């Protein structure tokens, strides 16, 4: 341990994001970005905001963006919190709702940022097992857990938990905060947003990075009752009052308002996912049922590590996790129809079909 480093860093193993190649032509199916460009209205709003106004600080309360998100969901702006990507919103939520005295729980196979935040903030946790088929058993969360986090749909499996089971968790743990990370919910799962009125312990977190094609703008948000949002505001205003710049606030608000574009692009991705999953199955892959913009697939005759390497040689990037339980799977982002055809051609060649 470096003598100058804070002791806080002793047990931290930072999250490793997927590769962003700097050169070369790659088909990029490794970080769940949207293959379609952002809404033209979002791009126009960003261009309009890129003017002399940048001399001034942005609105710290992000009122226009909170209003746009609230309108989309039929909530009030007091039920909305925005941040610099949902990763930041999640980190602030860990600080706002979990304590070093209280054990929290999240699934062992899930978003790998959860254990990173827990360690960084010294929050004890149980990584609870999924069922054999990678579904989440709502009863794995127990009374001693003083906080619960799970992604729905889950990553990297792509499997969605039915809304009744989300509610079962909320009902069984009314006295503890329950964070539902809905980064992929727009690709076919049921959101828990409609349960906010009934459950004061619920915080839903979403992002503009996936279904709204704005990973590069860094905007995420949380939805919950005003007392939950107030906790997040308290953390934010004790850390950085200006997490979202003027361009991000303008672009994200315009993207939220362009419902037609959002609908069209997410339906295209769902359609591409459907035929791609069938084509992978024809090649012998086992593909988990996905409600996301990625497919989690394994092949009985080829190791995932070898497939990952062979695809990379052909300039196709997918994600491979060298970790127990999931190391026989590839996580493949759903790209355009053309990108998925290229992937399938490459896999046919690699598997010798
Ligand atoms: C992508 C992702 C996020 C974070 O996305 P941001 O780009 O930081 O908004 C959060 N949770 C899960 C499960 C994700 O896959």
């Amino acid at each position: 341990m470096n003598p100058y480093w804070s002791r806080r860093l002793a047990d931290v193993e930072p999250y490793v994001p997927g590769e962003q190649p700097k050169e070369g032509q790659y088909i990029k199916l490794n970080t769940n970005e949207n293959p379609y460009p952002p809404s033209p209205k979002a791009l126009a709003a960003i261009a309009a905001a890129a003017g002399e106004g940048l001399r001034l600080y942005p609105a710290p309360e992000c009122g226009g963006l909170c209003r746009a998100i609230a309108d989309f969901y039929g909530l009030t702006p007091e039920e909305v919190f925005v941040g610099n990507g949902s990763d930041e919103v999640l980190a602030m939520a860990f600080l706002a709702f979990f304590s070093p005295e209280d054990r929290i729980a999240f699934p062992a196979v899930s978003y790998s940022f959860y254990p990173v935040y827990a360690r960084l903030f010294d929050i004890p946790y149980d990584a609870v097992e999924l069922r054999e088929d990678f579904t989440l058993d709502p009863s794995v969360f127990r009374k001693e857990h003083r906080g619960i986090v799970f992604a729905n749909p889950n990553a990297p499996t792509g499997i969605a938990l039915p809304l009744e089971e989300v509610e079962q968790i909320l009902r069984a743990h009314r006295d503890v905060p329950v964070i539902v990370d809905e980064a992929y919910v727009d690709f076919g799962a049921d959101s828990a947003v409609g349960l906010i009125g009934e459950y004061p312990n619920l915080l839903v977190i979403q992002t503009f990075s996936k279904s709204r094609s704005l990973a590069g703008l860094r905007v995420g948000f949380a939805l919950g009752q005003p007392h939950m949002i107030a906790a997040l505001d308290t953390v934010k205003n004790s850390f950085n009052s200006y997490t979202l710049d003027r361009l991000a606030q303008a672009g994200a608000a315009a993207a939220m308002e362009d419902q037609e574009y959002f609908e069209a692009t997410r339906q295209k991705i769902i359609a591409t996912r459907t035929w791609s999953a069938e084509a992978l199955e024809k090649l012998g892959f086992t593909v988990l049922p996905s409600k996301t913009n990625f497919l989690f697939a394994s092949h009985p005759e080829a190791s995932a590590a070898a497939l990952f390497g062979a695809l990379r040689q052909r300039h196709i990037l997918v994600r491979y996790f060298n970790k127990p339980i999931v190391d026989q799977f590839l996580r493949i982002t759903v790209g355009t129809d053309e990108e998925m055809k290229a992937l399938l051609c490459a896999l046919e060649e690699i598997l010798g079909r």
Side-chain angles (χ1 to χ4, degrees):
M1 186 70 192
N2 184 301
Y4 305 116
W5 288 27
S6 152
R7 240 171 301 141
R8 187 176 287 288
L9 300 186
D11 297 330
V12 176
E13 261 185 64
Y15 177 78
V16 184
E19 184 179 354
Q20 296 290 354
K22 281 175 200 69
E23 48 201 47
Q25 288 279 34
Y26 282 91
I27 293 182
K28 224 179 145 291
L29 305 175
N30 67 331
T31 48
N32 298 342
E33 288 142 334
N34 197 306
Y36 301 108
S39 150
K41 291 180 181 160
L43 296 179
I46 293 166
E52 79 83 38
L54 288 177
R55 186 172 63 78
L56 303 170
Y57 281 108
E61 70 289 351
C62 305
L65 175 55
C66 286
R67 162 74 54 195
I69 296 169
D71 286 351
F72 184 89
Y73 282 110
L75 299 171
T76 65
E78 292 69 41
E79 293 169 302
V80 181
F81 175 84
V82 294
N84 189 248
S86 61
D87 287 337
E88 182 187 82
V89 176
L90 275 164
M92 289 188 179
F94 271 58
L95 272 175
F97 301 112
F98 306 147
S99 312
E101 298 74 41
D102 294 327
R103 180 164 295 272
I104 64 162
F106 44 77
V109 174
S110 193
Y111 191 37
S112 19
F113 240 129
Y114 306 151
V116 175
Y117 296 137
R119 288 185 183 190
L120 181 64
F121 301 140
D122 246 325
I123 298 156
Y125 65 89
D126 284 341
V128 297
E129 297 301 329
L130 296 177
R131 296 190 186 103
E132 197 96 336
D133 65 356
F134 293 102
T135 58
L136 175 65
D137 174 357
S139 66
V140 292
F141 299 115
R142 298 186 307 271
K143 280 292 153 212
E144 64 264 35
H145 296 136
R146 305 312 297 161
I148 292 171
V149 191
F150 60 96
N152 193 36
N154 197 12
T157 64
I159 295 175
L161 187 68
L163 197 56
E164 307 85 70
E165 296 182 28
V166 173
E167 188 165 10
Q168 201 179 318
I169 295 169
L170 289 164
R171 211 182 307 119
H173 303 273
R174 265 191 185 274
D175 55 336
V176 307
V178 176
I179 299 176
V180 185
D181 178 354
E182 294 189 339
Y184 300 101
V185 76
D186 296 324
F187 299 108
D190 289 328
S191 173
V193 168
L195 300 175
I196 286 172
E198 218 174 315
Y199 292 94
N201 54 331
L202 171 61
L203 189 77
V204 174
I205 295 183
Q206 295 190 8
T207 178
F208 284 77
S209 296
K210 278 85 185 219
S211 58
R212 288 188 173 80
S213 303
L214 287 170
L217 201 64
R218 310 303 306 129
V219 185
F221 56 97
L223 307 169
Q225 291 189 8
H227 68 101
M228 298 296 272
I229 300 308
L232 291 166
D233 280 329
T234 302
V235 170
K236 186 191 101 157
N237 292 320
S238 310
F239 187 77
N240 174 7
S241 307
Y242 305 107
T243 51
L244 281 189
D245 62 58
R246 285 171 171 265
L247 308 187
Q249 291 188 38
M256 202 33 103
E257 284 159 5
D258 194 351
Q259 294 199 30
E260 206 177 315
Y261 186 85
F262 166 71
E263 227 10 83
T265 47
R266 78 188 180 112
Q267 292 306 340
K268 273 204 273 193
I269 288 167
I270 291 169
T272 305
R273 178 182 75 206
T274 305
W275 76 253
S276 302
E278 284 166 13
L280 284 167
E281 282 170 350
K282 282 209 188 100
L283 284 178
F285 282 90
T286 300
V287 185
L288 300 191
S290 170
K291 295 285 188 193
T292 62
N293 68 338
F294 59 82
L295 294 164
F296 204 50
S298 74
H299 200 284
E301 291 146 36
S303 86
L307 289 174
F308 168 82
L311 285 170
R312 198 172 191 294
Q313 272 182 348
R314 289 164 174 79
H315 281 231
I316 299 175
L317 293 181
V318 298
R319 194 88 199 258
Y320 167 66
F321 298 96
N322 190 5
K323 291 201 290 202
I325 309 178
V326 295
D327 63 358
Q328 273 320 313
F329 283 82
L330 294 177
R331 194 196 68 189
I332 304 166
T333 304
V334 176
T336 61
D337 285 335
E338 293 66 38
E339 288 173 324
M340 298 313 274
K341 280 178 201 154
L343 168 84
L344 285 151
C345 276
L347 285 171
E348 270 174 38
E349 193 183 294
I350 295 162
L351 294 165
R353 301 288 155 127

